[in-house]
Amino acid sequence: MRVPRRVPISTRTIGTGSDMTRMRLRGGAAWFSAAAGWIGLLAAGVTLAVAAAPVLVPAARAGRLLAAADDPGALAEIRLERAATPERLEAGLDAAVAAEDEDLALSFLALAETRGLPVDPARRGRVEALAQGRMSRAARDFAAGAVSGTAEGTAGLAGTLAADVTGLGDLRDLLREGGRYARAEPYDPLLLGMALVGLPLTVATWTAGAGAGGRAGMTVLKAARRGGRLSPALAASLGRTVRAGLDREAVAGAVAASARLDVAGARAAAGLAIRPGTVARLTNLAGDALVLGRRTGQRGVMQVLGLARDPGDVTRAVRLSERLGPRTRATLALLGRGALALGAGLAALASALLTGLAWCLGLTLFCRRLGLLLGRAIWRRPRPPSLRDAGRA
């Protein structure tokens, strides 16, 4: 019988020493790995903390602006938080006083009071002094409106309306611009369209008084066109609408009736010369202009028409005036079209919002990694049985 060979004790000791060496190496590697994890986590935390304010503040503001995109009043209130500085309010107030625009000056005072910003008593005194020349300015504006057709202020609109309500202004514009259109010559589509829409309103005002509001609103639009107060974008938009809605033969009939000073015949032909959709669009715009005039004054209407890019902007201005009241004109002076729509900054707002979301995602990953490292530090993984036995040997 063969006796098994015994392994010397020294050989077993050498094997056990190798196991201990591997254990120490693994423990050191684990320690370095844990240390590297904590260092990386610390660097990520510092980066998130440093970027928090520059990223989250614009992202929060972008979110508020995007949420208020369909509410001009809320949109303007958010943007006024930065725009309504004491320096800009004082400069706007001085410019309004220099232009003798009492309504705008009072609007700046109302805005300053709402924002809790102080106003120099000397500036308040200059605004109050504007009231002393109110009657002379009204007489001057009325005369200018009656003669030239430009409406500066309520008195200017009254003078323009006094000239238009007779129908002679519409007949004149129809004869001049309609004749050019019939001869295929350069013409002003807006004045022609307003004359075609305004003439039936004038007749309705004579007969039943039903078209007085629409007639006044159309007069405001015509005065803005004559005075060059319509923005190029709004004029182009309305011009395309009128051109697409004209009937050449009916326009020629209306021109012939105007040449005979046949108001009834011109009115009947005007009703056929322009499509109902075009009439509705111009009439709705005139109605919005009339509402704005009641809330902000005629200079406020001209201010909006100079900023608007399409009739939708004018409708948004009506909603803005409903919320801001006397602060509307000062808000428009400070923000421009930014009080009505998000405008060209939409891409920048979306970028700021996405950057904020990326920061939040980074914070989520940071918290996940922190929880993982804490769990490993608190609940250590048990060693395999073979390593425990080797350590006891």
Side-chain angles (χ1 to χ4, degrees), residues 14-382:
I14 292 173
T16 303
S18 300
D19 291 340
M20 294 300 294
T21 301
R22 285 195 296 268
M23 290 175 57
R24 291 190 183 96
L25 291 175
R26 290 179 181 176
W31 186 87
F32 280 113
S33 176
W38 282 106
I39 292 173
L41 186 67
L42 178 62
V46 171
T47 302
L48 288 172
V50 171
V55 169
L56 293 182
V57 173
R61 186 171 184 271
R64 294 173 62 201
L65 289 172
L66 291 172
D70 295 329
D71 187 349
L75 185 67
E77 293 281 11
I78 295 172
R79 285 181 161 164
L80 282 173
E81 294 173 1
R82 292 186 177 182
T85 61
E87 295 77 12
R88 295 192 65 186
L89 285 174
E90 291 174 357
L93 188 57
D94 292 342
V97 172
E100 297 185 338
D101 192 339
E102 184 181 2
D103 291 338
L104 180 57
L106 293 174
S107 181
F108 271 107
L109 289 180
L111 181 60
E113 182 178 355
T114 302
R115 309 295 301 180
L117 299 175
V119 177
D120 184 8
R123 285 188 171 88
R124 287 186 179 273
R126 288 196 291 270
V127 174
E128 295 172 357
L130 289 176
Q132 300 177 1
R134 190 179 299 163
M135 295 301 297
S136 61
R137 290 196 304 273
R140 181 190 61 197
D141 292 344
F142 182 89
V147 175
S148 65
T150 59
E152 287 291 339
T154 304
L157 175 64
T160 306
L161 186 59
D164 278 354
V165 77
T166 61
L168 295 178
D170 291 327
L171 291 176
R172 177 197 60 213
D173 293 336
L174 180 56
L175 184 61
R176 182 178 63 246
E177 303 301 334
R180 293 173 178 173
Y181 170 74
R183 295 189 299 269
E185 297 177 357
Y187 70 102
D188 189 329
L190 291 185
L191 288 180
L192 177 57
M194 292 173 190
L196 291 172
V197 175
L199 190 58
L201 292 175
T202 300
V203 176
T205 303
W206 290 352
T207 56
R215 174 65 270 176
M218 199 62 61
T219 297
V220 172
L221 296 180
K222 187 184 294 187
R225 178 59 174 172
R226 286 174 177 164
R229 306 297 290 273
L230 290 181
S231 72
L234 180 59
S237 175
L238 295 176
R240 288 191 298 269
T241 300
V242 172
R243 287 190 188 95
L246 292 177
D247 184 298
R248 189 174 296 274
E249 294 183 1
V251 170
V255 170
S258 299
R260 301 190 303 269
L261 297 182
D262 182 4
V263 177
R267 174 188 179 278
L272 301 174
I274 189 167
R275 293 178 182 176
T278 303
V279 174
R281 191 172 186 185
L282 289 176
T283 304
N284 291 337
L285 181 60
D288 287 340
L290 188 64
V291 174
L292 273 175
R294 292 169 180 167
R295 294 176 180 174
T296 66
Q298 295 311 309
R299 290 192 178 189
V301 179
M302 299 301 170
Q303 188 178 5
V304 171
L305 293 177
L307 295 172
R309 294 184 180 178
D310 53 49
D313 280 352
V314 182
T315 303
R316 284 187 282 272
V318 173
R319 296 173 57 194
L320 177 71
S321 66
E322 183 178 1
R323 175 162 177 165
L324 298 187
R327 297 173 290 156
T328 302
R329 291 200 60 196
T331 300
L332 290 171
L334 291 177
L335 301 179
R337 189 173 178 270
L340 306 176
L342 288 175
L346 182 59
L349 294 177
S351 176
L353 188 60
L354 290 176
T355 303
L357 292 176
W359 187 94
C360 293
L361 177 61
L363 180 63
T364 302
L365 296 176
F366 172 84
C367 293
R368 178 181 178 277
R369 183 64 178 170
L370 177 62
L372 183 62
L373 291 179
L374 288 176
R376 288 178 178 176
I378 296 174
W379 296 284
R380 294 185 179 276
R381 184 182 302 175

